[in-house]
Amino acid sequence: MAASGATALLAATLLCAATVFAADELSTLQQRFDAERDGVRKAKMLQKLGDAQFAKERQEARDNDYVAVGLEMEKYRDNVRAAVEALKKQNPDAEKHSSGYRQLEIHVAAGIRETQDVILAMPEPYRPPMQLVQNDLRAMDVELLRLLFPRRPGEKPASPPNAPGTKPPEATEKQP
């Protein structure tokens, strides 16, 4: 009987230690991400940081702490935004210099799936903030895809108004 009690105590201690270690790892990853100035490295770091944030978010969802879930996913969205901006600043031509952009787009797609899963599992009152996060992630995903693949078959490139070689719009009414 004492052995089963000791085993349960040991299991509880290991679970608490693993949770503390995961929290320390997440904060360390976040600090490294925030300090990184290179856009490509920042985008690649987001893979580990995002996975750690997803693990924390899943644990919070199991604990029914949906406010914390929302905060964690908002932080993930902010991290994605920071990585996108750093990449655009460092390598504005994603089509020629796609390193970082590809990894980031793949992880953002995973983040969209993660938010969808959370939205489906959480109670209705907690959904609107998560839907905003999901919409922001979708917009960033579309932006990344457009940066990676600017020339799309079937789409006409947008030309600025009154660009050379374009006719000015004709009046619909005839002037007397």
Side-chain angles (χ1 to χ4, degrees), residues 18-63:
T19 304
V20 169
F21 176 73
D24 286 344
E25 180 186 12
L26 180 60
S27 65
T28 302
L29 287 170
Q30 185 66 54
Q31 289 172 352
R32 286 179 48 211
F33 178 84
D34 291 339
E36 184 59 58
R37 297 290 170 233
D38 183 79
V40 174
R41 284 196 299 263
K42 195 172 199 107
K44 291 181 179 182
M45 288 175 74
L46 184 68
Q47 292 174 318
K48 283 185 180 179
L49 176 59
D51 289 344
Q53 288 177 304
F54 294 161
K56 183 177 179 189
E57 165 264 318
R58 287 183 202 117
Q59 181 59 46
E60 291 165 341
R62 280 191 293 274
D63 296 340

Side-chain angles (χ1 to χ4, degrees), residues 131-165:
Q131 289 167 335
L132 291 174
V133 169
Q134 185 181 40
N135 291 340
D136 290 344
L137 289 174
R138 283 182 176 156
M140 286 184 270
D141 189 49
V142 167
E143 179 183 10
L144 287 168
L145 288 170
R146 290 210 180 273
L147 288 168
L148 281 166
F149 307 105
R151 293 183 290 262
R152 295 171 173 245
E155 283 187 13
K156 294 182 181 178
S159 61
N162 298 330

Side-chain angles (χ1 to χ4, degrees), residues 68-112:
V69 167
L71 292 173
E72 196 61 44
M73 292 309 288
E74 286 175 6
K75 183 62 179 167
Y76 173 74
R77 177 207 48 210
D78 296 342
N79 288 340
V80 169
R81 186 174 291 135
V84 169
E85 294 304 318
L87 274 173
K88 286 177 12 184
K89 183 178 176 185
Q90 182 179 343
N91 295 323
D93 188 357
E95 188 178 26
K96 290 183 181 173
H97 304 285
S98 64
S99 185
Y101 283 96
R102 293 172 300 186
Q103 293 87 348
L104 186 57
E105 193 282 324
I106 290 167
H107 208 276
V108 170
I112 292 169

Side-chain angles (χ1 to χ4, degrees), residues 120-133:
L120 291 173
M122 67 181 10
E124 184 66 36
Y126 297 101
R127 288 182 182 177
M130 284 300 296
Q131 289 167 335
L132 291 174
V133 169

